[in-house]
Amino acid sequence: MAPIQRSSTLRLTGLLCLLFLVFFSRGFASHDAVSEKSSGTIQEDSRGQANSTAHKKTFPVLSFNYEHVRTPFEISLWILLALFMKLGFHIIPTVSHIVPESCLLIFVGLLVGGIIKATGEQPPVLDSNLFFLYLLPPIILDAGYFLPMRPFTENIGTILMFAVVGTLWNVFFIGGMMYAVCQIDAAKLAHVDLLSCLLFGSIISAVDPVSVLAVFEEIHINELLHILVFGESLLNDAVTVVLYHLFKEFAHEQAITVTGAVLGVISFFVVSLGGVMVGVIYGIVGAFTSRFTSYSRVIEPLFVFLYSYMAYLSAEIFHLSGIMSLIACGVIMRPYVEANISHKSYTTVKYFLKMWSSVSDTLIFIFLGVSTVAGPHTWNWIFVIFTVIFCLVSRVLGVIGLTAFINKFRIVKLTKKDQFIIAYGGLRGAIAFSLGFLLNNNEIKNLFLTAIITVIFFTVFVQGMTIRPLVELLAVKKKKESKESINEEIHTQFLDHLLTGIEDICGHYGHHHWKDKLNRFNKTYVKRWLIAGERSTEPQLISFYNKMELKQAMMMVESGSAAKLPTIVSTVSIRNVQAKGSPKPSRAISKSREEEIRRVLRANLQNTRQRLRSYSRYELLNDALEDDISEARFRKQKEMERRMSHYLTVPANRQETPPVRKVFFQPEHKVYTYDDSESPRGRASPSCADDVSELKETPEKPDQSSTPRANRDAELKPKEQDDQGDQLKVSRCLSDPGPNPEDDEDSTFLP
Amino acid sequence: MGASQTRPEHNYDDLTDKSGCNRDDLDRIPALNNNPIRKQIITAFFDKRNQHQNDVGSLDEIGFEQFLMVMSHFRPVNSTATEEEKVTVRKQKLRFLFNMHDTDNDGIITLDEYRTVVEELLSQSGAIETEVARSIADAAMLEVASTNVPHMAPDDFYEGITFEHFEQILKGIEMESRMSIRFLDMNTATMRCGKLSS
């Protein structure tokens, strides 16, 4: 009972907040007139006072001037509203399971719009300028920057087919059919001519990336389908832009000419390729800039954002496809920028993009709802119903037809289930609305807008809500939980080379051949220019490995002692894998990398330390699983510490670092110490010798439980004998993966 | 399996007087120069294990049929194939890969063999220290061991990757589709057999 009551009170509070916000903003709006007058009089008075002392007005201690801050204030209020709504939906779990977030947001928009209208004000409409310049770019950038390149490039042919041919088919089918419908006398729509219908078709037929993202994100569908629908929604922008402008021009002139049509085709190529080129240029410049940003790390994220935004705006100047430009910029920039910027900047970029796109997304849907209430509507049953029907029909026909053609060229064919999801996932959204809004004001515009809104509502509500149960029903493959695995990476690369080799032997210039050529070009020429320092020559496997190490170090640190170690409930250590033999010390990470890892760990050590302070030792070690985990953890952290210390010793010029490291590794808290239990033991069992790492001179006390472990992977092979201080020896012994020492030690924690 | 599925090598021209091709012929293909694992690829062609005949050892020369046997590992799976067929094909492809790594044919990929693999992969990328390659190989080995044999006593020695473990770690990669080459533009009329003269 309690949770239900809690959720209902939350709901109530949420609603009250919402109402409060709305009234607040409206209230301020109505204060405008009043405040203007009052500020006017105040100004007059002060001037009056300066001029003559005849007027005796009291000095206003507290004055009210809303006009001054009106615009930013209202904007902030709207954004706050959006955020509260988002928060609200996640606090109330039941609703968000059934209804996708976008639907709820539109609903809230409707509510807010209704309230505003009820108070007699004119609700704000989704201004196209606002939408295209401010709300859309963050979402597209977020999508483009994190676009999974491998599935995208593998399916690029299919995606382009759907985007270009599919959209063209949709446009002409819907346009043509609607024109036919308009000829029906009963509809009273004879004034709508063919060109207007085609224009309408071009607006309504494009699949919308915002809606697709919003809905597909929640259903966790498999990667292939996701990239197909999403890629299509991104790339059809070029088609939409061209057709929209083309038909608008034609509608203006009331005639279609052959030259016009030819120019249209040419324009398509110019728009799409031009957009991509603009993006590529900005991407390269951005990557080049990031090469030098090591001098001022704080502004690194800004470069990423600004270059991308400029790419978008520059494309828009020339009426090129801004979306494609933005995607191209993000895709090109990303590998080089990520190699150059610091870890913190990377995190900043990631989170800012997610944050902005999230806010944009929410605002768009709310405004869509508000605009629905606001706009003048011309409701024509026949037009609207037929539009919806034809949208669905054309989408289904288009997908089926195209798939039949595409499957001839695909290795992994698209099954009927896949086709259904692709067809069903063709959601329309705010882009269609904004494009419609940009039409010239005439009676047809309202008719179109109403139809567009209806289609959007239908797709988002009906299709958005039902797609999740349908996915379950049809047992469509879901996204698989991908653990980053170094084995997969090795073998993926191996396969790539293998297939390229086979293709070369056959003399067959296929997919792999060109990809290999591109990679080699990238490596020899591009990377040298765009990546700073030694990272430019780092092969992909190594950077992958380093990235994974860093990630795992972070993960270890952040999870602290209540570790949820994914794959490491395993007692296998590097010892089990390596032959007893003569391994040499090996430095797996380059110096700068190691610097970075160290820095990261250092920063996080502070946090972990504080956190650990509050944990009770006893709870730490009570269940068997925890024991295993702690055991594995201690071992890993030993390895890490061994490795770290190894770095200190190997090159001679790093002598200065040990003092620094010493500072951190002072065990300050009881929780940390192995040391306490170490000294009494002083065992130096011969088996320890095998595991010894080359701790030539590190006097530091290894800081056990808080030392972040680098990773569970390759640790330094057992090296030659080492015979430093007792403590070290003992600690090494303890690092010896054996259940017994660990257990004993665990038990010492329990007094 | 089809002779119709592939295009002949373009260097079959100089096989007119020989009855098959040997390693040097394949070595001479210029495009392979940039490939870091060319040795392994060429060896695979001459490996008897890939001839589906349960034989071991290596051949010195291969004829067209043997060439095709090796190529047949790269056929894409027919979309109308049943699940079992798909599993068989997948096993076959994985077995090919496994044989490429397991050079001494003892049925397991030992740490040294794996290290060689990684070193070869990185060999093209300039002067990479062997230690880096080693640690990557060790990491990978550790991962295989952890996923397949999670609880090993500290003194156990993990011999190497068996075929089952190999399958296990690569189950995330869809072999049936990844490891295939589309020979779309084959024209059987222009196809010549290796033995031109006969």
Side-chain angles (χ1 to χ4, degrees), chain A residues 217-231:
Chain A
E217 224 168 46
E218 299 182 2
I219 58 178
H220 297 298
I221 208 160
N222 69 46
E223 208 175 44
L224 173 67
L225 287 179
H226 185 255
I227 199 71
L228 282 180
V229 182
F230 183 59

Side-chain angles (χ1 to χ4, degrees), chain A residues 70-246:
Chain A
R70 181 180 176 168
T71 320
F73 197 86
E74 288 190 352
I75 295 177
S76 310
L77 273 183
W78 276 107
I79 298 183
L80 262 180
L81 172 70
L83 296 178
F84 278 132
M85 287 303 112
K86 213 175 167 62
L87 206 59
F89 299 144
H90 287 285
I91 296 184
I92 309 172
T94 48
V95 189
S96 56
H97 274 212
I98 313 171
V99 187
E101 206 175 276
S102 39
C103 302
L104 292 170
L105 288 170
I106 294 186
F107 189 67
V108 167
L110 285 173
L111 217 60
V112 172
I115 294 176
I116 296 179
K117 203 155 194 188
T119 62
E121 293 279 333
Q122 178 67 349
V125 192
L126 183 59
D127 178 31
S128 295
N129 225 20
L130 173 71
F131 175 73
F132 278 115
L133 291 183
Y134 299 110
L135 290 179
L136 190 59
I139 303 182
I140 305 296
L141 181 59
D142 179 37
Y145 197 78
F146 293 111
L147 200 64
M149 276 321 286
R150 200 172 248 273
F152 187 72
T153 46
E154 283 175 6
N155 293 297
I156 190 80
T158 317
I159 293 178
L160 277 175
M161 271 305 250
F162 277 123
V164 177
V165 180
T167 313
L168 279 174
W169 156 259
N170 279 348
V171 169
F172 286 107
F173 184 78
I174 294 179
M177 296 305 278
M178 287 320 289
Y179 182 61
V181 166
C182 291
Q183 303 305 86
I184 304 176
D185 284 330
K188 299 197 225 2
L189 289 166
H191 58 275
V192 182
D193 59 332
L194 179 61
L195 278 171
S196 308
C197 284
L198 284 175
L199 181 59
F200 176 70
S202 73
I203 298 176
I204 196 75
S205 45
V207 178
D208 188 84
V210 180
S211 306
V212 165
L213 262 180
V215 169
F216 269 51
E217 224 168 46
E218 299 182 2
I219 58 178
H220 297 298
I221 208 160
N222 69 46
E223 208 175 44
L224 173 67
L225 287 179
H226 185 255
I227 199 71
L228 282 180
V229 182
F230 183 59
E232 178 196 345
S233 69
L234 289 176
L235 296 184
N236 65 19
D237 181 56
V239 182
T240 312
V241 165
V242 169
L243 285 177
Y244 178 75
H245 285 124
L246 199 64

Side-chain angles (χ1 to χ4, degrees), chain B residues 96-157:
Chain B
F96 183 82
L97 269 187
F98 190 80
N99 288 342
M100 280 187 85
H101 297 319
D102 183 19
T103 43
D104 56 2
N105 196 29
D106 54 359
I108 48 174
I109 303 179
T110 58
L111 186 61
D112 284 322
E113 288 167 344
Y114 213 29
R115 274 182 185 160
T116 320
V117 171
V118 177
E119 272 164 16
E120 290 294 316
L121 267 184
L122 293 177
S123 60
Q124 282 265 311
S125 323
I128 300 294
E129 302 148 352
T130 39
E131 286 108 29
V132 185
R134 274 166 174 253
S135 40
I136 295 184
D138 293 345
M141 200 64 152
L142 188 61
E143 193 184 89
V144 178
S146 325
T147 34
N148 284 309
V149 194
H151 294 279
M152 286 176 70
D155 286 323
D156 281 353
F157 179 55

Side-chain angles (χ1 to χ4, degrees), chain A residues 334-361:
Chain A
R334 183 178 178 197
Y336 308 109
V337 159
E338 281 193 1
N340 282 330
I341 62 179
S342 71
H343 184 77
K344 279 201 183 138
S345 302
Y346 171 71
T347 314
T348 311
V349 167
K350 192 165 91 159
Y351 278 102
F352 261 82
L353 280 179
K354 299 266 171 227
M355 181 183 82
W356 272 328
S357 74
S358 186
V359 170
S360 270
D361 174 281

